[in-house]
Amino acid sequence: MIETFQSATEQVLNPYAAEWVQEGKKVVGYTCNFVPGEILHAANILPYRLRGHGTESLDIADAYYGPFVCSFPKCLLQLIGEGKYKFLDGAIITTSCDSVRRLNDNWRSVAKDIPDILPAFFHYLGAPYKVVPHSVEWYIKELKMLIEHLESHFGVSITEEKLKKSIEAYNVSRQLLTELDEFRIAEEVILSGADMYTVVLAGTVMPRDMYNDHLERLLAKVKEKRPPVMSGRKRIMVAGSICDDAELISLIEDAGAVVVAEGLCFGIRGLADRVRLDGDPLVALAERYMEENTCPRFIMSYDKRVTFLHDKAERARAQGVVFQNVRFCEFHGSENSLLESGFEEVGIPAVRLEREFGPLNETGRVRLRVDALLNRISEKSTTAE
Amino acid sequence: MRPEMYEYQYDWMIANSIRIIKRAMNNSEKELEEMLKYMPYFRDSVSVLLGQGEVSKAFIRLIDTWTDLYFYNAEKIGYKRVMTTFIMNPVLFHAMKIAPLNCELITIFGNAFYLRGSFDFMDHCIAEGFTETSCSAQRATLGAYLAGLAKPFDMVLINSTGTCDANANAFAFLANRLKKPLYAMDFPHRIPGEEESDYTLKDMKAMIAFVEHHTGRTVDYERLGELLTTVGKQEEMIVEIQELMRAVPCPVPALCNFMLYVGHLIGMGLPEYTEMLRAILEMGKRNVEAGRAGTASGKERARIYAIYIDHYCTKLDYWKWFDEMELSHLGGIPCATFYEDQPYLKGNEEMGWGVDTSSPEGMIRTVAELGARQPMARSIRGPYDAPNQWLDETLTMMKHYRADCGIFAGTYGCRNTWSNNQSLAREVEKYGYPTLICTADAIDERPQSWVQTQAQIEEFLTIRGIV
């Protein structure tokens, strides 16, 4: 049912992006969901969110990044150094966090030592760390600079009209994903957490129109009263640091749970709300991408994130929560402890675990913690009975 | 945390340790020597701090004023307390009768005055839910406050978002954990520029409105004007001191750099800071006239630029080591003020800031511009090789102060600098400056002791032929 989406996420250069490249069209990679894909889409450029999937070593990355740094940007740098991202025509590095923003520096540093790995279009996009009127204004200016750079480099024109059409296309995805999510959170789950996550991930690396077509087809199939999957399993929500493949979700589901909701930045947390179509499209994009972002880097918006996660858990009837953070990711690491306490206070068992990004090389330890959480949920159910 | 750590309040302990030093410092050398025997476990730190004669006394008077009057007894003078970053300049707050608690300095004082440093408090912070991989600079102070071992503060204000995630995040954790109001100043990734200045000004005004709302205090512009006028005079003195430091040999002792920037962070606008700067200036002039280095022996074997921050180990051995090794310390990120008259701004004047007391708007703009040029906020906010950023500043300063080499020291929690210090070091080397990335945590000595760090630095200095 989700083979197309799986094939889009299994390798760095997936078949759909490869086809796009073969047609002579442009691809621009980006690091974070602060980059409105609509802007690139409006220029007929494939927005390609950079993933560290498939990293087998960090020997290149370690020569540039220090030891006390999150392994996500390190994995990206490793793949960049190995030439896996040579198919990109451009890259946009965002000021997501200190480690990710330094990818801008390190990518250029690696390129001094390894030729032909720096795309001709290279842009540093500043995103404010808070959402207030003057910071949104600032972000609009940054987006304008990005547009000007794209236009001058690629010889394209990103008009208001084109932007509005792209917003419509992205809003279709958001609508379809929201509908699809109903089947993940249903009493009788029709779409497993791992499958749903794969579908969402694919949207970050597939051409938009093709993605929407496949989403529509998937939704139609799911609506054909498919049999429930994973019946009777404990319902878990996963939140925290970046996670760009479905392996962690699968690991949790392999332990006997079903992941009915997630608050992950590659996931659906940023997709629920549409971009408004009235007024200046750039303003609409800036507001949507800033205000609907639930990353803890927005350090003055903690209460908003608490509400977001509690609402999400309630809607999905989650019985427990896994809060995970990539080692050296302080934003999620410290906030996870506060969130964990908050969920425990309202009677929802939660576990906080730290892991390395990338291939699950600590499966046993993570599984042990998940098993413990599931046991607690069982004990809680038994006590309640 | 060990039960005995709860016996004394952390803030009381620090304030009283400094009060004891202040009482002891006017005794004769022999009397002081006898008294040190009876100081329980911070005698080594006292010995280092008092090693610079009149400068030391002025420094102790300054930090005593800060710890006793603002940090510990703020309520007695009708001040509110805000927990804040070390780079939040204090001038505005003094004009609002608010005491800024510069978190990282409180950690460093803990390291200097507690037996085995402030590590217990760092660990307590983790027990409260903070990540163990976070920056040690905030962790001890946070631990103490979370343990209830310090007088409460009213709110948390920070000016590090956009420049240091680890720093900003620590304060967000504290505010959310204790349910205190939080305001975070945010910096764009470029400096200087009209739009960037405008953004920072708007943010500063929003922060003032936030503080006014939560404290009921307003800015006393008459007082702010007086303070800023003093700041201008202090900056002129700093310019003079730092110009003396270009001389070979450098006439200013290494420890005076620490005193200068600690004073800058907590004492801007205060008369005690002016007194201390005067003492450093006099000492520097005397040494220049005598052709002496600022080291105890008067000799200079090498000139070192601290590429990031310094090492703040227990007992303050780092500073003693500079002296014993006859090394000059030429400053680092915390030392540079970027005041408009600084000679290193020649050709890059727009990067400087000046004092404008002509109107309330001018004063707030001054405070905002000064804040944007504080350490960290100034030069690690954008790509390391962008104009006015880390590499640019490092090379400018190393050339300006005629450095022989550079040493990077930082905390393990510093994602920002540990994410690209290798690239920076390689670039600095290309300009002919041997550069060491010191692998110690600058504040938590447990992963790598000072003795190991000392050996690492000495090995570097020897192998690279610097000493």
Side-chain angles (χ1 to χ4, degrees), chain A residues 61-70 95-102 104-106 108-109 112-113 124-130 132 134-138 141-142 145 296-297 299-300 302-303 305 325 327-335 337-338 352 354, chain B residues 126 128-135 158 161-166 168-169 172-173 176-177 182-186 188-190 195-196 198-199 202-203 206 379-385 390 411-423 426-427 430 439:
Chain A
D62 282 339
Y64 301 88
Y65 272 114
F68 317 112
V69 178
C70 162
T95 56
S96 320
C97 65
D98 283 341
S99 304
V100 168
R101 76 180 166 103
R102 291 296 184 202
N104 166 74
D105 307 18
N106 288 329
R108 290 183 294 109
S109 290
K112 289 176 188 167
D113 302 325
Y124 190 62
L125 179 75
Y129 274 66
K130 61 183 172 188
V132 292
H134 62 271
S135 67
V136 177
E137 273 172 35
W138 178 266
K141 284 178 193 165
E142 287 282 326
M145 286 167 66
R297 79 187 276 287
I299 61 171
M300 285 169 66
Y302 171 69
D303 291 342
R305 289 189 290 279
N325 74 282
R327 189 162 178 79
F328 303 118
C329 173
E330 260 68 67
F331 278 135
H332 280 289
S334 57
E335 189 157 294
S337 78
L338 301 171
R352 181 166 55 113
E354 191 176 72
Chain B
I126 292 160
E128 291 276 345
F130 202 44
T131 48
E132 63 177 353
T133 56
S134 61
C135 180
I158 56 177
T161 55
T163 63
C164 179
D165 290 347
N169 183 61
F173 173 79
N176 294 326
R177 183 77 176 73
L182 166 73
Y183 191 89
M185 288 274 295
D186 176 37
H189 60 86
R190 293 178 294 268
E195 289 184 343
E196 288 74 13
D198 184 52
Y199 182 78
K202 281 179 182 163
D203 221 12
S379 50
I380 58 169
R381 58 165 68 186
Y384 84 110
D385 52 353
W390 201 14
T411 67
Y412 291 170
C414 184
R415 306 286 163 254
N416 191 335
T417 55
W418 273 106
S419 283
N420 71 342
N421 57 10
Q422 295 183 82
S423 294
R426 279 192 281 263
E427 290 297 317
K430 282 182 194 168
T439 52

Side-chain angles (χ1 to χ4, degrees), chain A residues 163-345:
Chain A
L163 272 178
K164 283 192 176 176
K165 278 189 182 165
S166 297
I167 290 171
E168 279 175 15
Y170 272 71
N171 277 349
V172 168
S173 305
R174 292 179 182 114
Q175 177 61 33
L176 292 170
L177 284 170
T178 307
E179 284 181 44
L180 208 54
D181 197 38
E182 293 297 324
F183 296 92
R184 171 170 63 166
I185 67 167
E187 188 69 43
E188 290 289 355
V189 173
I190 308 291
L191 200 60
S192 74
D195 283 354
M196 182 68 193
Y197 200 64
T198 302
V199 170
V200 178
L201 282 176
T204 64
V205 289
M206 273 177 83
R208 184 58 36 180
D209 300 332
M210 178 190 281
Y211 181 61
N212 284 350
D213 286 346
H214 284 286
L215 271 184
E216 274 178 18
R217 273 182 244 163
L218 175 63
L219 190 61
K221 278 186 193 170
V222 171
K223 282 179 176 171
E224 287 169 5
K225 292 193 176 172
R226 293 262 169 176
V229 295
M230 302 184 168
S231 289
R233 293 184 176 213
K234 293 177 184 69
R235 301 168 69 89
I236 299 297
M237 179 169 81
V238 182
S241 284
I242 198 159
C243 179
D244 69 3
D245 61 38
E247 283 184 41
L248 179 67
I249 310 289
S250 294
L251 179 80
I252 295 167
E253 294 192 327
D254 288 348
V258 56
V259 175
V260 290
E262 35 77 11
L264 302 166
C265 82
F266 259 94
I268 206 169
R269 70 177 182 179
L271 293 171
D273 290 285
R274 320 290 174 264
V275 179
R276 61 182 172 79
L277 282 158
D278 58 318
D280 184 336
L282 201 57
V283 174
L285 283 170
E287 287 174 355
R288 159 64 177 72
Y289 277 81
M290 290 295 283
E291 287 170 7
E292 298 307 324
N293 203 303
T294 52
C295 178
R297 79 187 276 287
F298 289 102
I299 61 171
M300 285 169 66
S301 307
Y302 171 69
D303 291 342
K304 188 174 134 186
R305 289 189 290 279
V306 170
T307 305
F308 167 78
L309 286 172
H310 279 266
D311 286 352
K312 195 155 201 168
E314 189 182 348
R315 185 168 163 269
R317 293 177 294 280
Q319 296 167 288
V321 188
V322 173
F323 289 109
Q324 53 79 36
N325 74 282
V326 177
R327 189 162 178 79
F328 303 118
C329 173
E330 260 68 67
F331 278 135
H332 280 289
S334 57
E335 189 157 294
N336 281 353
S337 78
L338 301 171
L339 293 166
E340 179 192 32
S341 307
F343 271 90
E344 292 282 356
E345 277 170 21

